[in-house]
Amino acid sequence: MKGKTVLERLTPPQILVIGFAAIIFLGGLLLSLPVSTSNGEGLPFVDAMFTSTSATCVTGLVVVDTGTYLSVFGQIVLMALIQVGGLGFMTMSTLIALVLRKRISLRERLILQEAMNQSSMEGIVRLIRRVIFYSLTIELAAATVFAIRWSFDFPVGRAIYMGLFHAVSMFNNAGFDLSGEFRSLMPYADDLVINVTAMSLIVLGGIGFIVMADVMEYKKKRKLSLHSKVVLSMTGFLIVFGAVVVFIFEYTNPRTLGSLNGLGKVLASLFQSVTPRTAGANTLDIAGLRQATQFFIIILMFIGASPGSTGGGIKTTTFTTLLGAMVAMIRGKDDIVLFHYRLAKDRIYKAITLTLFALFLVVFVAMVLSTTEDHPFLMILFEVTSAFGTVGLSMGLTPDLTVFGKIMIMLTMFAGRLGPVTLAYALQPKPEKELYRHPEGKIIIG
């Protein structure tokens, strides 16, 4: 019997890590070519790798202005990286296999299960088909709306191109834009069409494909899964609560909401609450927000989007589980009950582990960068949390980062996109089954 190849020895988490790293490296090489920039010189290698990492990890942090510095070729490379990064390279490879009518092997199904954060392989290929169909349909519909709106401001060809680019970027929660001068969507802070379309894309991309499929089948099933109920309710709560907080904190701030009319204030508050779902676009000057608002956005970015989506963060389900654990402990209950369902203990342990991993990562990177970057700590913490949550919002620090700072942020984006737990599984040695259990002990908590 022949020995296994190197690829066959790799676990699904290891394949995901290597696959994303390979895409980032290829993207970095393409962006460093002279044809990728408007000045014909190409991006410096570190900047090219940073931009490729940001696009593949659907973050949106930029060291150069996408709309003016990159050529059309560079922007198309960026858009391809966003699409592959958002849907996942395994999803894209499955699409190619389905087009070529190739059979999806058991090993590929295992990797897809890991990539989509599913508990079993059952129906995984059917889910991937839906993911691809929903994604392309939503992006095409949004691109059409964007193109019609921008046709009033730009030539038709430019409007169509901008519509497609922003639809892909917003749905995949990437946050890249072509507005120029690092303005994101600030010129459209009170534009109803742009705001509603962008927010719809961000929310749909952030709730996860599993929830989308569940909602689409609601008429037939007449019920939603516990996962979908938790995601939709927590997402709705965070958006409404976040908008109210931003509205209250920024209402009189002349650098943000203070200069807008009534509709503009409402739209901008909603947008700034939706975009920390890991989208990265903004209609207000993030550096101009009050410190209380900036810190509040850090919390929203840390929570992030939902499992199986294009977004990052610890996820809405993890945050809900932690809140449930706190409520259960205060009420003296043994179980966490959500929508009349009891959560399994392993879900609780995973939520705690993921949150602590994420917290340690963000704190560690922020402490390191506070010694290498000459900027206020809140600015650094904002940037690190944005990188981990694959958000892309920035207070303006990214272009001023040192080479070391760029590398640290790149690694943080990479860890945030794959997830700290996936990285830990990929790096850990093969687990051995424990042959015994230690006696139970007690410690005093609190």
Side-chain angles (χ1 to χ4, degrees), residues 133-292:
F133 175 75
Y134 293 155
S135 300
L136 297 181
T137 302
I138 291 169
E139 288 174 353
L140 183 60
T144 303
V145 175
F146 275 140
I148 293 172
R149 167 60 187 83
W150 273 318
S151 65
F152 292 96
D153 300 336
F154 304 100
V156 175
R158 176 68 178 172
I160 293 172
Y161 174 66
M162 286 184 64
L164 181 61
F165 185 95
H166 287 87
V168 171
S169 179
M170 296 300 165
F171 178 72
N172 289 289
N173 282 206
F176 286 90
D177 67 89
L178 301 179
S179 299
E181 300 177 7
F182 300 101
R183 293 180 301 167
S184 190
L185 297 180
M186 287 170 59
Y188 305 96
D190 55 358
D191 190 297
L192 185 64
V193 175
I194 296 294
N195 275 266
V196 171
T197 306
M199 285 190 287
S200 299
L201 284 170
I202 294 165
V203 172
L204 288 172
I207 60 176
F209 300 111
I210 307 139
V211 177
M212 263 195 277
D214 206 16
V215 171
M216 293 295 288
E217 292 184 353
Y218 179 75
K219 282 188 177 181
K220 184 169 65 176
K221 292 182 176 179
R222 285 295 170 184
K223 66 175 184 178
L224 293 174
S225 66
L226 173 62
H227 173 80
S228 296
K229 289 178 181 177
V230 169
V231 167
L232 292 174
S233 58
M234 181 52 70
T235 299
F237 169 75
L238 288 174
I239 289 173
V240 174
F241 179 69
V244 171
V245 171
V246 173
F247 187 84
I248 293 171
F249 285 0
E250 297 298 319
Y251 188 82
T252 58
N253 187 349
R255 296 182 62 185
T256 55
L257 294 184
S259 60
L260 299 174
N261 58 27
L263 177 62
K265 283 181 169 65
V266 173
L267 287 175
S269 298
L270 273 171
F271 199 94
Q272 259 51 235
S273 177
V274 168
T275 195
R277 293 274 73 73
T278 81
N282 56 284
T283 57
L284 296 179
D285 179 14
I286 300 299
L289 295 172
R290 292 189 168 116
Q291 286 192 349

Side-chain angles (χ1 to χ4, degrees), residues 306-325:
S306 302
S309 72
T310 58
I314 63 170
K315 305 297 192 294
T316 52
T317 48
T318 303
F319 182 62
T320 304
T321 302
L322 295 177
L323 286 180

